[in-house]
Amino acid sequence: MRAEKISEMLDVAADVGGKPTDAEFPTPYLGRSVKIVGPHVNVDMNQSPHPKNARGELGKPLFNWYRNTVSNDPLTRVSAPNHFADRRHFLTNVINRSTKGKVNPQKVAVDDPAAMTRHIKAVAHYLGADVVGIAKAHPTFLYAGSRYVQDGTAEDAYQQEAPEDLVRRFPYVIQATTAWDYNKLQAHRHHIGDAAYHVSQMKGVLMLKALEGYIKELGYTALRGVVTPQAAGVAGGIGELGRNGLVINRNFGARIHMPDPILTDLPLVADEPVDIGVEDFCKICRKCANTCPTNSIPFGDKVVFNGIEKYKINWLTCYKLRPYVHDQWGSCLTCAAVCPFTKPNVWWHGLATWALRTCPIPARPALVHVLKWIDDRFWGVTRANRVRWLGYDSGIKPGDQACTVAGCTASHEGKGNSGAVDGNIGYYAPLKENTNRFVKRDA
Ligand code: SF4
Ligand code: SF4
């Protein structure tokens, strides 16, 4: 953290709750995949991709894509940010802009935080969560500046408080999330993959809103737009941070969202970070870096960025692709689809991840080589499965007319769809073709 930043925070903390000390806020352990190793400036989400783009700071193509483009895909229009004809059809927007409810003054006493932890996790699962983790809050996990809720707003009575003081008041973070469908994800770089991604994301927003309301009805505070989702995810044991910049979960791999978590004073017991072998796998694998169409994922070692040791992806090159592929797909997802951890949540996947996480660390590289060989052999070095769903068909070449008749199961090969390919191989634009397209047009 920069010196002036530290002194500013010390001043504010002295006003509202006393000076923070290392003993009060020891550097949190985040597992083997990511480490806090130096001074860290809290993330200001106003400097993150979407807000920058909304202000027009990333160039005209991205700005127009974000603000002025209606998707040609009706499912994208109701489930993805900003590509609707009418914003009121996008449920996430409706939920995130709704009036915030008050905390019930009739507080439920919590005598047993462990029992409450089990209860709140069960409630979250019942409301639709696939994975739930509880993290002990730490000032470095909190955003600098104002609250940030994508496609919505968040106000609360604690806006002016320093991260240290917020953590003193609200010591726990609940990260509850949803996984996206494995089979549809195989059609990454396609509207089918978009649907799997965006609809599960929307369900996650709904689930978290309901969980937020439940905590307030119990008489406790639930703040949103305050905590970095990835920090909450790794600290709360949801997964490890991969080379692809995604939190990778034991059961679902990289096909989970990292939504806006809940900062709360509900008495809970925090989970610990997990070791599922992502650290060992990423050192050897590099499948995501090899298949990324924009070369945004590093092949080399981790770096220290803002005091955090991790693999650093280039979010700008990843983001810049979107305006040029908008007619065919919205969210790339290739790095999630290709990751060997991303599999159906079934027994053989459980067996492989069990073998990896119970293997002594020195012996893991050998096991990783075997598991990666199996992955390449049976799932391929890239993912190019053909997926047919709701009349969509990832065997149709992007730009050609796909059948969009709901419920249609007919084969259209050779009947006007000139780009249709035979068999079970999906059509995916040659990987680097996309990059060349946007590099040339953006120059
Ligand atoms: S371009 Fe695709 S593969 Fe590359 S980082 Fe972005 S989402 Fe992942
Ligand atoms: S594809 Fe391989 S290198 Fe990339 S995140 Fe997954 S395990 Fe790590």
Side-chain angles (χ1 to χ4, degrees), residues 244 288 291-297 313 317-318 321 332-336:
N244 54 10
C288 53
T291 52
C292 171
T294 60
N295 296 320
S296 301
I297 300 174
I313 72 158
T317 48
C318 167
L321 181 62
C332 168
L333 309 177
T334 297
C335 52

Side-chain angles (χ1 to χ4, degrees), residues 384-388 392-397 410-414 417 419-428:
N385 296 20
R386 183 174 189 176
V387 183
R388 300 172 179 91
Y392 297 89
D393 184 347
S394 70
I396 306 291
K397 184 177 178 179
S411 169
H412 297 285
E413 288 168 22
N417 291 321
V421 293
D422 291 331
N424 287 319
I425 306 297
Y427 182 88
Y428 295 95

Side-chain angles (χ1 to χ4, degrees), residues 16-221:
V16 296
K19 291 189 177 184
T21 62
D22 286 350
E24 187 182 11
F25 299 113
T27 303
Y29 177 66
L30 300 176
R32 294 173 61 225
S33 66
V34 56
K35 289 189 176 70
I36 301 177
V37 295
H40 174 74
V41 178
N42 289 42
V43 173
D44 181 354
M45 284 304 283
N46 286 316
Q47 300 307 319
S48 65
H50 291 311
K52 271 169 129 29
N53 195 18
R55 296 192 297 268
E57 295 169 14
L58 302 181
K60 276 187 183 171
L62 264 178
F63 180 79
N64 283 328
W65 162 78
Y66 191 70
R67 296 297 288 264
N68 304 323
T69 310
V70 174
S71 175
N72 62 9
D73 177 56
L75 265 178
T76 300
R77 294 204 292 271
V78 296
S79 60
N82 282 340
H83 302 302
F84 30 67
D86 186 329
R87 140 183 329 275
R88 291 167 296 186
H89 299 150
F90 177 41
L91 187 60
T92 298
N93 199 273
V94 175
I95 293 169
N96 285 349
R97 284 174 183 255
S98 62
T99 313
K100 309 293 177 279
K102 290 192 169 59
V103 174
N104 182 357
Q106 305 294 318
K107 186 174 281 208
V108 170
V110 178
D111 301 326
D112 183 349
M116 176 51 80
T117 302
R118 288 192 295 277
H119 175 75
I120 206 73
K121 286 185 175 181
V123 169
H125 280 296
Y126 183 64
L127 292 173
D130 291 308
V131 192
V132 189
I134 312 290
K136 193 166 182 324
H138 188 274
T140 55
F141 299 169
L142 272 56
Y143 294 141
S146 55
R147 305 287 184 253
Y148 177 77
V149 175
Q150 195 184 352
D151 312 305
T153 55
E155 302 98 25
D156 56 62
Y158 309 96
Q159 305 265 39
Q160 303 307 318
E161 294 201 3
E164 286 80 0
D165 203 54
L166 283 172
V167 168
R168 288 185 188 111
R169 275 188 211 274
F170 309 110
Y172 298 103
V173 186
I174 303 173
Q175 181 56 294
T177 188
T178 48
W180 62 91
D181 181 86
Y182 174 78
N183 291 320
K184 291 185 197 66
L185 172 62
Q186 302 312 297
H188 56 114
R189 303 209 301 276
H190 192 280
H191 285 319
I192 298 175
D194 288 343
Y197 180 81
H198 288 128
V199 172
S200 57
Q201 188 174 45
M202 198 165 66
K203 288 178 179 172
V205 168
L206 192 62
M207 173 272 294
L208 275 159
K209 184 68 179 174
L211 191 62
E212 178 191 331
Y214 186 79
I215 292 167
K216 289 178 177 173
E217 286 294 333
L218 293 180
Y220 295 87
T221 301

Side-chain angles (χ1 to χ4, degrees), residues 242-244 248 278 281-282 285-289 335 338-341:
R243 182 183 287 275
N244 54 10
I248 296 176
V278 169
F281 219 104
C282 289
C285 168
R286 296 183 176 84
K287 284 182 91 156
C288 53
C335 52
V338 79
C339 178
F341 284 90

